[in-house]
Amino acid sequence: MARFQFIFTFIPILITIITLTTNPRVLCLDSEPDSFSIIDYDSNLIFHQDYSPPAPPPPPPHPPSASCTDDLGGIGSIDTVCQIVADVNLTRDVYIEGKGDFNIHPGVRFHCPNFGCSITINISGNFNISVNSSIVTGTFELVANNASFFNGSVVNTTGLAGDPPPQTSGTPQGLEGAGGGHGGRGACCLLDKEKLPEDIWGGDAYSWSSLQDPWSYGSKGGSTSKEVDYGGAGGGRVKMKVKEYLVVDGAILADGGCGGVKGGGGSGGSILLKAYKM
Ligand SMILES: *[C@@H]1O[C@H](CO)[C@@H](O)[C@H](O)[C@H]1NC(C)=O
Ligand SMILES: *[C@@H]1O[C@H](CO)[C@@H](O)[C@H](O)[C@H]1NC(C)=O
Ligand SMILES: *[C@@H]1O[C@H](CO)[C@@H](O)[C@H](O)[C@H]1NC(C)=O
Ligand SMILES: *[C@@H]1O[C@H](CO)[C@@H](O)[C@H](O)[C@H]1NC(C)=O
Ligand SMILES: *[C@@H]1O[C@H](CO)[C@@H](O)[C@H](O)[C@H]1NC(C)=O
Ligand SMILES: *[C@@H]1O[C@H](CO)[C@@H](O)[C@H](O)[C@H]1NC(C)=O
Ligand SMILES: *[C@@H]1O[C@H](CO)[C@@H](O)[C@H](O)[C@H]1NC(C)=O
């Protein structure tokens, strides 16, 4: 009896496997006819074990757009031209959406220097940030027609990560002051001569499966003290989708924070740039 049950369950599985080997498209959901990606299929259809990372939750609906004059102290309107002429010190997330251009004038600081703070600019016109200006935040996201980053400008998300994804923290466990992990494991920091380098690793890798569409913060480095957290913070995230021309004469940074002599460095975050021409 037991053997029959085995055979009856075994045969459909075998058929499934044969179908898969002969026709991998069976796995595709609604993707374009000629592309097959191992990360595109719904593993629950066939496999009983879930090898894929959990699907990210749908993004929350956007808050209403900030206003150029009232919220950002600028001149004009986001549906025509918004000019940021003086420093903006933000303390919480800001979402900017409109049909016009957005210009940050020379030497202006457009900052939200809190861990995980997010600045999103979503405009149908052009974006430009002039010489010596800076954007400092945890997450910077830009959607624009053209975008220019002039000489000496910087988008700096260094060491301003928010929380890493929930499946693992990427932060090293021990008190060796090892480095934070991200797409790979963090660096070891071998102080104990009795141990092999393989025994002391930095933080876990956690975003290997999303490297094609990177959108993860870096993670913290380890500390050498139980009481004080000396680890460097993780790097932030930058994403830009530019319809026509993206010109970068400045710097775009998502480095991990420095741990100093008593802590490990944080891991870098993510930068994703897409444009018709760069
Ligand atoms: C913004 O912060 C800087 C220092 O970080 C300060 O010099 C400047 O006056 C502030 N600007 C505003 C508008 O609060
Ligand atoms: C950039 O913005 C300035 C105003 O801040 C404007 O005069 C200039 O034409 C813009 N440059 C480009 C290339 O869009
Ligand atoms: C930009 O705005 C459009 C139109 O409102 C919206 O569909 C899109 O999701 C927005 N993108 C981002 C990154 O906020
Ligand atoms: C930008 O900064 C550089 C170096 O600090 C300085 O030489 C230059 O005059 C600045 N340019 C403007 C337009 O502020
Ligand atoms: C975008 O930039 C290109 C190259 O500078 C320019 O030819 C084009 O007119 C710009 N598009 C808009 C809508 O400003
Ligand atoms: C860019 O700025 C740096 C110093 O901030 C200066 O040395 C360099 O000549 C500038 N390049 C251009 C093309 O203006
Ligand atoms: C970027 O930010 C980090 C951390 O605040 C700072 O150490 C670094 O000097 C900044 N880089 C630039 C080019 O502004």
Side-chain angles (χ1 to χ4, degrees):
M1 197 59 202
R3 174 161 303 181
F4 276 104
Q5 268 170 3
F6 169 74
I7 288 173
F8 281 125
T9 49
F10 184 69
I11 287 173
I13 290 173
L14 199 65
I15 290 170
T16 313
I17 291 171
I18 290 169
T19 325
L20 285 186
T21 24
T22 52
N23 184 8
R25 292 252 176 84
V26 168
L27 287 172
C28 290
L29 275 181
D30 57 350
S31 51
E32 310 86 348
D34 287 325
S35 74
F36 171 68
S37 159
I38 55 160
I39 58 177
D40 272 353
Y41 68 83
D42 183 354
S43 58
N44 294 325
L45 285 179
I46 285 122
F47 297 110
H48 299 295
Q49 255 174 306
D50 187 4
Y51 297 106
S52 62
H62 283 304
S65 174
S67 128
C68 180
T69 48
D70 299 346
D71 299 314
L72 305 174
I75 298 171
S77 139
I78 299 158
D79 282 326
T80 54
V81 181
C82 176
Q83 319 248 18
I84 304 298
V85 295
D87 289 355
V88 179
N89 298 332
L90 299 164
T91 49
R92 57 195 161 95
D93 297 357
V94 64
Y95 178 69
I96 298 164
E97 185 186 312
K99 300 189 183 73
D101 296 343
F102 197 89
N103 296 325
I104 299 180
H105 278 227
V108 167
R109 299 148 51 101
F110 195 83
H111 291 191
C112 185
N114 306 334
F115 295 118
C117 185
S118 151
I119 296 178
T120 305
I121 301 178
N122 184 358
I123 51 172
S124 353
N126 301 331
F127 172 87
N128 85 36
I129 168 166
S130 300
V131 278
N132 299 350
S133 301
S134 57
I135 293 175
V136 171
T137 184
T139 291
F140 179 67
E141 186 167 5
L142 173 69
V143 176
N145 184 70
N146 279 337
S148 304
F149 295 78
F150 289 68
N151 195 19
S153 68
V154 62
V155 174
N156 197 349
T157 67
T158 296
L160 286 176
D163 295 333
Q167 67 266 28
T168 166
S169 73
T171 303
Q173 303 272 314
L175 289 176
E176 286 92 13
H182 186 158
R185 299 203 70 166
C188 72
C189 191
L190 193 60
L191 300 172
D192 185 344
K193 297 216 165 52
E194 317 246 294
K195 292 183 178 166
L196 296 169
E198 301 90 89
D199 295 333
I200 302 179
W201 276 103
D204 284 324
Y206 59 75
S207 71
W208 67 95
S209 60
S210 56
L211 291 178
Q212 282 179 319
D213 196 14
W215 193 234
S216 307
Y217 288 121
S219 64
K220 278 184 65 61
S223 184
T224 50
S225 153
K226 269 199 186 111
E227 290 76 36
V228 188
D229 187 357
Y230 291 111
R237 309 183 293 193
V238 178
K239 184 181 330 190
M240 298 194 205
K241 295 201 170 158
V242 175
K243 208 169 157 211
E244 293 188 54
Y245 293 78
L246 170 62
V247 180
V248 180
D249 286 326
I252 296 174
L253 306 173
D255 293 334
C258 217
V261 288
K262 291 182 177 170
S267 63
S270 306
I271 298 178
L272 175 61
L273 307 180
K274 283 190 181 171
Y276 168 70
K277 194 164 185 182
M278 289 189 203

